[in-house]
Every structure is written in structure tokens, then in C-alpha cells.
Amino acid sequence: MKYPTLLLDDQDSDVIEIGILQANNTPLPEHEFFFHINRKNHLKFTRKEDLELRGKYYRYRHSVHSAYHKISQNTLHFISNKSIKTLKEKELDELFTEENEINYLLKNHKEITYIVKATDNMSDFCLILPFDTSPTQIQSLPLTKDSNLYFLIQNYE
């Protein structure tokens, strides 16, 4: 299973902007986290169909929440970086494999809780304010075509 690579160089014209949010500072269940974001930002995040990835040995599910943001006129998708459910497809028959029971969309960024994608490739996520008890903001990050995550996010929409 290939993992995405993030390139921070904006020279490629085929770049999409994603947001990253580290929400681990607020130990809230996912539904409470979105309740607070909805209330603070006057949004209506709802749970959508999970993003599913299939590996050789495991099938991973990542939660997706979406809402329409009236100010920016975008639909926002929050995708969990860490898989929320893992199903074993077949028994491991290799000693060393890149697949684990837990999958991260951003393998080298396990501290990231959510990946944020806007429908019109918006790069300014400062309009979405985390709730008062969350000290972190959504940071913008370019994602190039060289990344598997680029196509995964594009195809999900």
C-alpha cells in the first residue's frame, strides 16, 4: 500500500489546497467536536459516507463530515486522518509489511486529526474557527499530484 507524500513546493500547477487540523488538544469524542464547531461557526456538519481504502491485508475506513459554509460558498469536508475502523481482508503472510491495523492518510503526520478539503480549492481556512477551548487553527497545506492522497481526495467529492 502506497502512502501519500506531501510536497510543500508550490511550483506544480496541479496543486490542491487542503487544511490540516490538530484537535488532539481537546479530548472530545468526534460528535462533540463537530457539535462545538457547528455552534461556533453556525454550520451544520453532518456525517457522510466513510472514505474507504483497501490494502492487501486490511480495509480502512476514515470518517467524513461535511457542511456548507455560506460565507465562502463552499462545501467543507473534514476527513479523519486516523482510520476509525479496520477490517482484516486476509491473514498476513509476510514478515514485514507497510500495512498496520491503524492507517493514517498522512503517514508522517500522525498528530493531525483532520484533513479539511473545500470544494473550490479554497486556501484560506481562517473563516472556520475552532471552538473556544481549541487553541489550534486550521493550517493550509498544498498537495500535489505526486501524492496518492491528491487523487483520493479529488475522487471522494
Side-chain angles (χ1 to χ4, degrees):
M1 179 172 173
K2 284 184 132 180
Y3 287 96
T5 56
L6 292 177
L7 299 179
L8 300 177
D9 191 359
D10 200 13
Q11 294 175 357
D12 193 353
S13 62
D14 295 322
V15 174
I16 60 172
E17 292 289 328
I18 61 171
I20 54 175
L21 176 65
Q22 181 179 347
N24 292 335
N25 295 339
T26 55
L28 292 175
E30 194 171 69
H31 65 280
E32 284 184 42
F33 176 79
F34 284 102
F35 170 78
H36 289 294
I37 287 185
N38 283 343
R39 189 178 58 164
K40 174 80 173 178
N41 295 286
H42 306 289
L43 293 170
K44 293 181 181 174
F45 271 99
T46 58
R47 179 80 183 262
K48 299 296 182 187
E49 184 177 337
D50 291 344
L51 179 96
E52 188 171 291
L53 294 173
R54 289 182 181 254
K56 185 176 179 181
Y57 300 104
Y58 296 102
R59 186 172 39 170
Y60 306 102
R61 290 185 155 195
H62 296 265
S63 67
V64 179
H65 291 78
S66 296
Y68 182 74
H69 191 260
K70 291 179 185 175
I71 296 171
S72 67
Q73 298 180 343
N74 275 293
T75 300
L76 302 169
H77 303 284
F78 275 59
I79 304 166
S80 64
N81 184 34
K82 181 180 178 183
S83 58
I84 59 164
K85 187 172 185 179
T86 303
L87 301 168
K88 191 177 241 183
E89 291 286 301
K90 70 178 201 176
E91 290 298 319
L92 291 169
D93 58 5
E94 297 176 24
L95 184 56
F96 300 104
T97 178
E98 289 186 14
E99 287 186 53
N100 295 311
E101 287 188 29
I102 297 175
N103 182 50
Y104 290 89
L105 294 175
L106 300 172
K107 180 182 176 187
N108 297 325
H109 301 280
K110 294 179 181 178
E111 74 281 1
I112 300 302
T113 310
Y114 294 104
I115 298 167
V116 183
K117 172 68 175 102
T119 52
D120 81 343
N121 202 18
M122 160 176 99
S123 62
D124 186 12
F125 294 99
C126 69
L127 296 173
I128 309 161
L129 304 172
F131 46 94
D132 296 333
T133 59
S134 177
T136 50
Q137 296 292 322
I138 298 173
Q139 298 174 0
S140 184
L141 187 66
L143 189 64
T144 66
K145 272 188 159 181
D146 297 338
S147 168
N148 291 342
L149 186 58
Y150 176 94
F151 295 104
L152 185 68
I153 288 175
Q154 291 292 80
N155 291 333
Y156 182 79
E157 293 178 8

